[in-house]
Amino acid sequence: MNNDIESVLYSKEQIEERMDELSGEITKKYENEMPLIVSVMNGAMIFTSDMLRRLNFKLNLDIIKASSYQGAHSTGEVKIIQDLRSDVKGRRIILMEDIIDTGRTLKYLKDLLMKRGAKSVEICAMLDKPETRTVDLKGDYIGFNAPNEFIVGYGLDYDGLYRNLPYIGILKKQIYA
Ligand code: IMP
Ligand code: MG
């Protein structure tokens, strides 16, 4: 295990098993809908790529880059750093995200896509921290709940590091204190 990790929350095997279940649920609903998968960069990159290979139906993929986070503390303001190239008008969208914390990022993105004329927007997130929610937002497909700690690995970073860990872990407090 990486020295900066306090403990492993979910192992590679647990994540893979859960992705099998989640992708089954999504397939039931979307296999005849040709949805547009919108992956929120950079955190959702690894989760998205592993989920996509489990979705065996016609779909499109696009990415959007938003930021609301500086280090370990959310600033609250959401900015689009890199926008979609796709027209979302009339499309069914599945937003793929690494983690829902305050919920501000996904609420902002969901509202934005609806404003642009999407037919529907659902949310698939690898992790959910329900305790820290400050806006009214619910995920539709959630991998796991996470405690109110700083989580890294499987795409999640702290200041750009740890995204490549093959498990989801709790970062030692002394690293970001
Ligand atoms: P929200 O807008 O507060 O829901 O923040 C969501 C974004 O904050 C996520 O996409 C992550 O990039 C980041 N974030 C929130 N909690 C954590 C965490 O525990 N570890 C790493 N990134 C986090
Ligand atoms: Mg993110």
Side-chain angles (χ1 to χ4, degrees):
M1 194 172 70
N2 184 299
N3 243 341
D4 299 346
I5 303 303
E6 184 68 50
S7 60
V8 174
L9 255 186
Y10 299 106
S11 68
K12 185 172 179 285
E13 291 71 26
Q14 285 174 303
I15 301 167
E16 280 169 356
E17 212 177 291
R18 188 67 187 117
M19 287 191 296
D20 287 343
E21 296 171 353
L22 279 181
S23 57
E25 280 179 49
I26 292 174
T27 298
K28 263 190 220 147
K29 178 148 181 188
Y30 285 95
E31 63 187 337
N32 300 310
E33 299 285 348
M34 206 167 80
L36 173 65
I37 310 286
V38 172
S39 182
V40 185
M41 293 290 111
N42 294 330
M45 177 185 283
I46 291 171
F47 176 60
T48 305
S49 77
D50 282 348
M51 282 294 287
L52 280 196
R53 280 172 286 185
R54 289 169 164 80
L55 300 178
N56 188 19
F57 53 81
K58 278 190 182 164
L59 56 80
N60 297 117
L61 173 67
D62 204 343
I63 58 172
I64 197 162
K65 197 165 182 170
S67 158
S68 70
Y69 235 67
Q70 307 270 321
H73 303 282
S74 178
T75 59
E77 193 195 344
V78 182
K79 277 189 225 144
I80 303 287
I81 294 173
Q82 192 186 312
D83 208 337
L84 296 174
R85 300 192 66 181
S86 312
D87 185 359
V88 302
K89 217 165 274 149
R91 300 292 308 266
R92 290 202 183 279
I93 315 280
I94 306 172
L95 272 169
M96 296 271 217
E97 178 59 306
D98 52 6
I99 190 165
I100 316 176
D101 182 19
T102 65
R104 283 196 202 100
T105 307
L106 283 173
K107 178 154 182 22
Y108 180 87
L109 293 177
K110 187 174 177 175
D111 291 349
L112 179 72
L113 298 180
M114 288 307 291
K115 250 184 268 162
R116 289 181 182 175
K119 188 171 177 188
S120 63
V121 180
E122 282 200 314
I123 288 167
C124 174
M126 181 171 75
L127 292 166
D128 188 7
K129 283 179 176 173
E131 287 171 50
T132 51
R133 196 76 90 256
T134 61
V135 298
D136 183 25
L137 180 104
K138 237 179 80 48
D140 299 284
Y141 310 93
I142 299 293
F144 305 100
N145 279 351
N148 187 13
E149 305 269 1
F150 204 83
I151 315 294
V152 295
Y154 224 88
L156 286 157
D157 74 306
Y158 171 66
D159 274 355
L161 293 175
Y162 313 109
R163 291 195 199 276
N164 53 327
L165 297 179
Y167 52 83
I168 296 167
I170 297 178
L171 188 64
K172 282 184 181 164
K173 284 216 164 63
Q174 69 245 40
I175 305 292
Y176 62 90

